[in-house]
Amino acid sequence: MKSELFSLGPGLPPLLPFLRDGPAHETQEYFDKLVASRPCHGLKVKVDGELGKGVYADAEFKDGELVLKDQMLVGSQHSTNKMDCFVCGSCFCFIGSIELQIGRKLYFQGLGASFSNQCHSDSSDGEDGSCELEDTNLGECSASNSKDRIPLSQEVIESLMGGQLVLPYTEKFSLPSPYPCPGGCGEEYYCSKSCAEIDWETCHSLLCIGENSKSACRKSLSKFVEHANHTNDIFILAAKVIAMTSLRYKKLKEARLKEVGCKPSSDAPVDLSLLLEAWKPFSMGYKRRWWDCIALPEDVEKCNEVAFRLQFKELAFESLQLLKAAIFDEECAPLFSLEIYGHIIGMFELNNLDLIVASPVEDYFLFLDDLPGSPKKAAEAVTRSILDALDDDYSICCQGTAFFPLQSCMNHSCCPNAKAFKSENDRDGQTTIIALRPIEIGEEVTISYIDEELPYEERQKLLADYGFRCKCPKCIEEKSN
């Protein structure tokens, strides 16, 4: 492997083209195409605003109206959540059956391996915006005290997982059959062959630990995943970015060679312009180095800040070395520099939004609870012991982290006119933005990165972690008072 420094030519600093903003007209063209590809077209991204990028209304929106449904550019389910929720590795919809979902939960619960977290964790964002998902319709994704549970026999759990035990009314909650990873890893499953192929072609072929993996060293890849699971699974997202960029570069190069009538060659020179084109979707996200943008905890003294940030830099370095050993590609060497890796992770730290998909298991038990007298009594005679074993864990939703390219362009306001909101009909990993009040043509669409009900000084302190002081109308008024 080459040195961390990657020279782009005489007189040019290493890695500069990967970290600097592209020409404004190219950025504008990129976002115009992106908006046109979404089902909601009443928006315009402006790239020359005072706060950098911003999203503006190109049509009027009523209170409660859908403003945007944005597809993720890259996302990942939390590793601890995989034992509670069996979902598609591409679109994150639930798969299998209600029985299989319940059986898996109880199986891992019996192993002491079920990790249940609160659904509505804080999301963070930087210049371009993010917000918390707050939706009472999704139910409380809560963990429960294991002492309150009444365990089921292993025989019942296995019959749920194997499909021998069919619960009443589950035919009303049919889920897609699991489609295995084409690489044979046994770790990822999908809702369809289409989703499996998309994920394989975009990133998973390099990150798969199965026999058909394109990884240079599956053992190192396993070590990388283990390291991420034990430290911070944000590294998995960073790996996906590098894999996606690398594979996209290969496709672009293959198309270019075919166009000029040349055959692919292992000793062909690096085409930097194509590598930058492959990197473009991720170049649009606001970035800072991860170890620089992490908020300093209150229990860490200012005098210890340098050591605190150095620990995170070293953690990123450890992760990168494992990833290099697994999928390093000489033609994509810049992507494997610590500087780029740190900026990729920092992009997620500053621009991420919680990935949340409501559980059909919760819907199932709520449906049973709403049945009339006799049918309800008959159903509960079968399901009561299962619900007692699950306790509150029946409501755990799919949880993860994702980057949404248009949503990430939305700036913050403590009196926002929109928010991220997932209704009971949203069953995949897309994010949904709705209007909190009427929005006029030309008005900027804003969301809140924090709890806007907090006092002024507390809000400003939280927003300082994002690198700015808020000057929205609410803050201006409260500051003057």
Side-chain angles (χ1 to χ4, degrees), residues 115-272:
F115 299 89
S116 308
N117 299 314
Q118 289 288 334
C119 239
H120 307 307
S121 61
D122 290 339
S123 294
S124 57
D125 203 312
E127 168 204 84
D128 295 326
S130 180
C131 66
E132 243 178 341
L133 279 172
E134 296 177 352
D135 183 3
T136 55
N137 290 336
L138 292 180
E140 185 77 9
C141 294
S142 59
S144 61
N145 191 330
S146 60
K147 293 180 181 179
D148 298 331
R149 301 187 180 112
I150 303 175
L152 286 179
S153 69
Q154 192 66 26
E155 183 181 357
V156 172
I157 293 173
E158 289 177 359
S159 64
L160 282 167
M161 295 177 67
Q164 292 85 12
L165 175 56
V166 179
L167 301 178
Y169 299 104
T170 53
E171 72 278 0
K172 296 180 180 294
F173 298 86
S174 62
L175 302 175
S177 298
Y179 190 91
C181 161
C185 65
E187 296 289 330
E188 295 290 349
Y189 287 84
Y190 303 89
C191 67
S192 64
K193 182 180 179 182
S194 174
C195 264
E197 290 175 346
I198 288 171
D199 198 42
W200 181 260
E201 292 173 4
T202 54
C203 67
H204 190 61
S205 58
L206 275 179
L207 302 177
C208 178
I209 58 173
E211 292 183 359
N212 296 325
S213 173
K214 295 181 181 178
S215 166
C217 180
R218 287 186 288 151
K219 185 176 180 180
S220 295
L221 189 56
S222 294
K223 289 181 178 179
F224 166 80
V225 173
E226 183 179 358
H227 178 269
N229 290 341
H230 281 86
T231 56
N232 194 326
D233 57 12
I234 202 170
F235 296 136
I236 300 292
L237 281 168
K240 284 191 172 187
V241 170
I242 291 176
M244 290 172 74
T245 305
S246 178
L247 290 171
R248 190 163 182 254
Y249 167 75
K250 297 294 184 183
K251 285 186 177 180
L252 290 171
K253 185 175 180 180
E254 185 179 338
R256 173 73 61 84
L257 291 173
K258 187 176 181 180
E259 185 180 315
V260 297
C262 296
K263 293 183 179 180
S265 173
S266 57
D267 59 352
V270 178
D271 191 324
L272 186 59

Side-chain angles (χ1 to χ4, degrees), residues 66-121:
L66 178 67
V67 174
L68 170 67
K69 197 161 188 178
D70 200 9
Q71 296 175 346
M72 69 179 68
L73 184 57
V74 62
S76 180
Q77 182 184 15
H78 292 320
S79 58
T80 53
N81 182 248
K82 289 185 175 182
M83 286 166 277
D84 286 307
C85 300
F86 189 35
V87 301
C88 173
S90 179
C91 71
F92 301 97
C93 72
F94 280 73
I95 56 178
S97 66
I98 296 296
E99 290 85 357
L100 178 58
Q101 292 288 340
I102 293 172
R104 288 180 80 257
K105 282 176 183 281
L106 295 176
Y107 173 75
F108 287 117
Q109 189 183 95
L111 295 177
S114 177
F115 299 89
S116 308
N117 299 314
Q118 289 288 334
C119 239
H120 307 307
S121 61

Side-chain angles (χ1 to χ4, degrees), residues 388-427:
D388 287 343
L390 287 170
D391 200 37
D392 288 343
D393 282 359
Y394 78 91
S395 64
I396 294 173
C397 53
C398 171
Q399 303 167 57
T401 303
F403 177 77
F404 300 90
L406 289 179
Q407 171 273 326
S408 72
C409 294
M410 291 182 175
N411 286 311
H412 165 84
S413 172
C414 295
C415 48
N417 55 20
K419 75 168 184 175
F421 181 93
K422 297 202 82 170
S423 74
E424 58 187 12
N425 296 320
D426 296 321
R427 294 300 180 190

